[in-house]
Amino acid sequence: MAQHEHVRVAVIGSGFGGLGAAVRLRREGITDFVVLERAGSVGGTWRDNSYPGCACDVPSHLYSFSFAPNPDWPRTFSGQEHIRAYLEHVTDVFGLRPHLRFDAEVKRMAWDAEALRWEIETAAGTFSADVVVSATGPLSDPKVPEIPGLDSFPGKVFHSARWDHDYDLRGKRVAMVGTGASAIQIVPAVQPEVAHLTLFQRTPPWVMPRVDRAISAAERRLHRALPFTTQARRGLLWGIRELQVQAFTKRPDELGLVESLAKRNMARAIKDPALRAKLTPDYRIGCKRILLSSTYYPALARPNVDVVASGLSEIRGSTAVAADGSSAEVDAIVFGTGFHVTDMPIAERVVGADGRTLAETWKGGMEALRGASAAGFPNWMTIIGPNTGLGNSSMILMIESQLNYMADYLRQLHVLGGRAALDARPGAVAAWNHKVQERMKRTVWNTGGCTSWYLDASGRNTTIWPGTTTEFRRATQRVDLAEYDVIRPPLPSGSGSGSDMAGAEVGA
């Protein structure tokens, strides 16, 4: 067991959120920090998801840090290996390696009210930190449904985010469970080599053409020689998406035209009317994430593919049985069934000021002040927290806004001087979430007639931000101290305080 290490800031996770936080800390002049990573390398989602065909559905020049532009993206939509290489490059360029602690999965972290710091137990030893920045991300812990009989299946089973590259799918009969963003990339990638592919689809997705192409050597040279051209390209991509947001958030009725384009995309590849009926969604486009692919429908039309318009309900020996009673003999089952998004797994391991875990506090649904701070968890903030997700643009824009908020949070603590902590006021958290949920009511994510992974167990959308990235940036530019209680260390016993905590009520 490594010895104990105390730092000013502990960052959890080394995906885009964690590495972005590390870069920002250094730029703010804070070098006393560690990045605790459970795996053996950086990359987060882009390290874990290495399935065939894995790529991003946001253009590369927008899906990168504004402070680390990459003039050398090879395609308009880059593959997993290029995004992972980009994150390794950012780690090196900004000198983050000395701060990384690999194989350091967080087992538990608890707030110490006496010392005003977080005590963190990890697989690589113990740490303590004045501030914790949790950047574990919503797409980090795979979700595999409980299917009766799965334990006794004689073949191979794995999740898309834990792809078994040692298992050869060639010539095998494969069941693909799920039709989300991963599945629509996997299906066309494996269809040519498997003997037979059975796709178990509970709900068909809306799929738009993926307008992908190689970025020419001349374009890349231009971006290298004149960096402002990279910025201009990014700005254009961002602007288009900002304009689209209005339809999703305020005028879902106007999405009919987009639906007709998606239907035309399907009709081009799917000639069989029965298959087309199976693949046509019965909800408004945008209610679930709109998927991009020009190869998914052509793959489904191939003779070695069957689409079962029903979820997988049971495994009997090597037979996969759907809810509608149809079945298929299979050698391997691949789950493309998403992640624990609305029940953040790290929440079970975070113990706040009152001894309750974050998971207990969030039993009725996740909520945090400006997507960052939870009441009762002083000096703990999350990147990509509740209601910071996007339905149509780049998450990196939201991450950078949250990094602005983190930077100001640390500045405010510095200005307060001495030992201090900020704890979000329950009233401020409630007011912020009421505002977010009121805006959510008329969005396509709530009115579109679907059940998506954006919704939690009680049907509340705790995932998506119901506005533009510009509005979110404005809302997270500064920390408003009136929304926080300032906590100071307890007075020594016998000082006549009658309270074990001197909490200064700021803005009361």
Side-chain angles (χ1 to χ4, degrees):
M1 194 69 119
Q3 62 192 51
H4 182 86
E5 191 176 350
H6 177 77
V7 288
R8 175 92 178 104
V9 183
V11 178
I12 320 296
S14 69
F16 267 100
L19 295 178
V23 172
R24 190 59 188 266
L25 288 170
R26 293 207 54 153
R27 294 176 83 185
E28 291 289 320
I30 297 170
T31 55
D32 181 18
F33 70 90
V34 290
V35 179
L36 303 174
E37 169 53 60
R38 66 180 175 186
S41 60
V42 303
T45 295
W46 296 104
R47 174 199 60 234
D48 295 345
N49 287 270
S50 60
Y51 57 78
C54 183
C56 190
D57 59 3
V58 176
S60 313
H61 282 275
L62 193 58
Y63 198 80
S64 42
F65 292 120
S66 62
F67 52 79
N70 177 15
D72 289 314
W73 288 116
R75 302 192 66 80
T76 50
F77 291 92
S78 288
Q80 173 263 346
E81 67 281 12
H82 293 115
I83 298 170
R84 187 178 180 188
Y86 169 77
L87 290 172
E88 291 280 0
H89 175 72
V90 166
T91 304
D92 290 328
V93 166
F94 290 93
L96 304 181
R97 299 259 173 223
H99 300 278
L100 292 166
R101 303 290 180 273
F102 289 126
D103 303 310
E105 180 169 13
V106 172
K107 305 288 188 194
R108 184 177 187 270
M109 60 175 97
W111 176 247
D112 181 338
E114 295 284 319
L116 286 201
R117 66 187 194 183
W118 286 91
E119 297 293 338
I120 307 164
E121 295 168 28
T122 80
T126 60
F127 296 81
S128 55
D130 299 332
V131 177
V132 168
V133 177
S134 179
T136 55
L139 307 183
S140 54
D141 284 61
K143 203 174 205 170
V144 175
E146 287 181 24
I147 307 288
L150 186 62
D151 295 352
S152 54
F153 177 65
K156 190 75 188 169
V157 179
F158 51 87
H159 189 280
S160 57
R162 299 290 182 268
W163 196 270
D164 188 335
H165 291 278
D166 296 330
Y167 182 76
D168 192 353
L169 287 176
R170 275 177 303 189
K172 301 287 197 306
R173 299 166 301 175
V174 179
M176 179 78 225
V177 184
T179 52
S182 304
I184 72 147
Q185 294 180 341
I186 293 165
V187 167
V190 305
Q191 173 271 320
E193 55 188 40
V194 301
H196 197 87
L197 182 69
T198 306
L199 179 69
F200 288 87
Q201 165 193 279
R202 274 193 317 186
T203 316
W206 283 105
V207 182
M208 296 289 281
R210 183 183 178 85
V211 191
D212 189 20
R213 64 171 181 84
I215 295 175
S216 69
E219 285 173 275
R220 297 206 294 269
R221 269 199 307 277
L222 177 71
H223 290 331
R224 271 199 303 274
L226 302 170
F228 76 86
T229 60
T230 314
Q231 282 173 311
R233 187 176 194 148
R234 179 188 177 89
L236 180 65
L237 292 166
W238 166 77
I240 291 166
R241 278 155 186 76
E242 285 294 90
L243 292 172
Q244 290 169 347
V245 171
Q246 297 289 345
F248 291 100
T249 57
K250 294 180 182 161
R251 295 189 287 277
D253 308 347
E254 294 177 5
L255 289 162
L257 171 67
V258 190
E259 280 178 17
S260 59
L261 292 173
K263 282 178 181 168
R264 211 172 308 152
N265 179 42
M266 186 197 304
R268 268 197 298 269
I270 307 292
K271 302 304 178 195
D272 173 12
L275 180 55
R276 206 182 298 170
K278 282 183 187 177
L279 297 173
T280 303
D282 62 356
Y283 55 87
R284 182 104 276 189
I285 195 167
C287 182
K288 284 174 174 277
R289 191 173 179 94
I290 299 172
L291 306 180
L292 302 182
S293 176
S294 301
T295 53
Y296 179 63
Y297 289 138
L300 295 185
R302 304 299 298 165
N304 68 332
V305 178
D306 279 328
V307 177
V308 177
S310 180
L312 178 65
S313 70
E314 190 188 350
I315 304 293
R316 293 185 203 137
S318 57
T319 306
V321 184
D324 66 1
S326 56
S327 63
E329 289 287 310
V330 294
D331 305 306
I333 302 171
V334 180
F335 285 99
T337 44
F339 300 86
H340 289 273
V341 175
T342 57
D343 52 344
M344 224 184 265
I346 191 83
E348 298 279 0
R349 308 172 191 192
V350 184
V351 183
D354 63 0
R356 289 194 309 160
T357 66
L358 187 59
E360 288 171 297
T361 304
W362 280 349
K363 237 196 338 260
M366 301 193 300
E367 48 180 45
L369 176 59
R370 300 179 190 272
S373 310
F377 295 81
N379 283 7
W380 189 93
M381 61 192 333
T382 178
I383 306 291
I384 317 184
N387 291 113
T388 60
L390 291 174
N392 77 314
S393 190
S394 172
M395 272 312 298
I396 315 308
L397 300 168
M398 299 297 275
I399 287 169
E400 290 195 24
S401 292
Q402 293 198 290
L403 298 181
N404 289 340
Y405 196 72
M406 175 197 78
D408 199 52
Y409 192 102
L410 291 162
R411 273 183 229 123
Q412 299 286 0
L413 281 175
H414 182 70
V415 168
L416 286 167
R419 275 164 58 228
L422 293 175
D423 188 7
R425 293 180 154 199
V429 177
W432 170 259
N433 280 279
H434 177 71
K435 199 160 72 175
V436 167
Q437 292 303 328
E438 279 301 304
R439 286 191 66 176
M440 195 71 75
K441 282 178 181 171
R442 60 179 178 176
T443 68
V444 69
W445 306 298
N446 279 35
T447 64
C450 73
T451 305
S452 72
W453 57 265
Y454 301 148
L455 308 179
D456 66 15
S458 58
R460 236 177 36 156
N461 191 330
T462 55
T463 309
I464 294 283
W465 166 246
T468 63
T469 59
T470 308
E471 288 171 301
F472 188 75
R473 175 154 292 212
R474 219 174 292 134
T476 50
Q477 202 67 50
R478 296 265 173 273
V479 168
D480 178 0
L481 280 184
E483 296 181 324
Y484 287 87
D485 287 332
V486 177
I487 301 169
R488 296 284 185 187
L491 296 167
S493 53
S495 64
S497 156
S499 156
D500 66 340
M501 190 181 278
E505 297 280 317
V506 175

